[in-house]
Amino acid sequence: MGYERPRANPWLQPRHSHYWTPHLEKLAYAQTVGTGNPIRETLNADIPLTIEHFRYFAGCLRPRKAL
């Protein structure tokens, strides 16, 4: 039994992060209710940064070719 490379999860792909952008207001409202932060701060900073972090780390998890 040797090392098995983990399979790529299709939902952890950068292309799936664009599904969040139409729902920014709903996500910001949920974040505001949950944390108490101002909705303006959440809408303009927290949610867009979350989406960018998701895109970055999803890109890191894509399978790489062996050299």
Side-chain angles (χ1 to χ4, degrees), residues 6-16 54 57-59 61-63:
R7 294 183 183 159
N9 187 343
W11 287 105
L12 293 176
Q13 299 292 328
R15 67 176 184 256
H16 292 290
F54 182 84
F57 286 110
L61 293 175
R62 283 189 285 176

Side-chain angles (χ1 to χ4, degrees), residues 5 63-67:
R5 187 176 183 161
R64 306 273 186 216
K65 285 186 177 181
L67 296 176

Side-chain angles (χ1 to χ4, degrees), residues 16-64:
H16 292 290
S17 61
H18 75 274
Y19 292 121
W20 293 351
T21 52
H23 306 288
L24 287 178
E25 289 83 14
K26 292 178 189 176
L27 292 169
Y29 177 75
Q31 176 80 13
T32 300
V33 170
T35 62
N37 290 343
I39 194 156
R40 180 178 39 158
E41 178 184 325
T42 304
L43 187 60
N44 294 328
D46 294 341
I47 301 299
L49 282 174
T50 301
I51 293 172
E52 288 302 316
H53 286 130
F54 182 84
R55 286 181 182 152
Y56 173 77
F57 286 110
C60 290
L61 293 175
R62 283 189 285 176
R64 306 273 186 216

